Amino acid sequence: MELKDAVVVVTGANRGLGRHLAAQLLERGAKVYAAARRPESVDLPGAVPLRLDVTDEESIRAAARTASDTTLLVNNAGISTATSLLTGDLGSVRLEMETNFYGPLAVTRAFAPVIEGNGGGAVLNVLSVLSWLHPAGLGSYAAAKAAAWALTDAAREELAPRGIAVSALHVGYMDTDMAATVPADQKADPADVAAQALRGIEKGLPEILADETTRYIRQGLAALPEAA
């Protein structure tokens, strides 16, 4: 997909990876709707602030009406509560699923007809290496991202006949607020991750693997388990 002159909605664009994605899209000549629950928190020159709460369907519908010229959707907004599935608060588990799975599902359902009506385009879902690796301490986040991976694969098949390509971005820890407690040498640079993501969209890659850990884990999925 050509990004120059594309019209892009980036959810969670007010900080972290979302802000880097929005900034680099602007540099490439795209029109960018920087979506956030609080649009006044968007401070990116050239971007169009857009109110969008991925857990609020009316907010999503209103955003789709406002950004009616969209050709690329980036489902970036997400949360991590570090909740155990078996001992953690069920409300936190539900919140992660609402934000990290139902959120991108609802936003994609709202914007797919918009993108199709504008001649086709693409969707990028920001996922995680934890789509495939499921540590107990991050069980709710991993479960939600695993579900979002399934969503991405199913949506790719369903939207292809409508002229919409669907890509998944998988990455480990990034140097953002979400991974603030992780040692710095274990974090990817979000600016570099954003650049890889945009190159992947341009090439139409179904999966974009943004760091060595993610590439290693993904390769391991193809290995057969040892016989008992």
Side-chain angles (χ1 to χ4, degrees):
M1 177 180 181
E2 175 61 52
L3 295 178
K4 186 178 184 298
D5 298 323
V7 182
V8 190
V9 169
V10 181
T11 68
N14 55 323
R15 60 179 182 163
L17 177 62
R19 193 179 190 283
H20 284 283
L21 286 163
Q24 292 186 27
L25 283 161
L26 287 168
E27 291 171 1
R28 290 169 179 258
K31 175 182 176 180
V32 177
Y33 291 101
R37 285 179 298 173
R38 295 186 300 107
E40 66 274 14
S41 66
V42 174
D43 62 353
L44 190 60
V48 180
L50 178 70
R51 182 182 180 278
L52 197 161
D53 180 344
V54 302
T55 66
D56 180 345
E57 292 213 14
E58 178 50 44
S59 163
I60 294 168
R61 288 191 292 269
R65 291 192 296 268
T66 298
S68 60
D69 50 349
T70 298
T71 58
L72 169 61
L73 168 65
V74 179
N75 283 313
N76 165 74
I79 61 167
S80 175
T81 65
T83 300
S84 162
L85 285 173
L86 298 186
T87 62
D89 175 60
L90 273 179
S92 295
V93 175
R94 291 190 179 98
L95 178 60
E96 289 212 42
M97 193 64 72
E98 286 289 339
T99 307
N100 298 336
F101 172 72
Y102 285 110
L105 172 59
V107 176
T108 300
R109 287 168 64 109
F111 275 91
V114 174
I115 296 171
E116 182 180 17
N118 290 322
V123 175
L124 173 69
N125 289 338
V126 177
L127 303 180
S128 170
V129 68
L130 298 186
S131 304
W132 311 313
L133 184 66
H134 308 138
L138 295 167
S140 61
Y141 182 82
K145 287 298 185 179
W149 180 37
L151 158 65
T152 303
D153 286 349
R156 181 181 302 117
E157 182 178 338
E158 189 168 350
L159 292 177
R162 298 167 62 179
I164 302 173
V166 179
S167 299
L169 171 66
H170 294 273
V171 63
Y173 292 118
M174 287 185 288
D175 192 9
T176 63
D177 292 346
M178 189 179 288
T181 62
V182 176
D185 61 356
Q186 297 181 21
K187 300 178 188 178
D189 180 350
D192 177 62
V193 173
Q196 291 187 62
L198 298 185
R199 288 195 297 270
I201 293 170
E202 288 177 322
K203 294 178 181 178
L205 298 180
E207 284 191 340
I208 303 154
L209 310 179
D211 60 6
E212 286 301 323
T213 299
T214 300
R215 287 187 280 271
Y216 176 78
I217 296 297
R218 183 67 176 93
Q219 185 177 17
L221 292 181
L224 293 173
E226 294 183 5

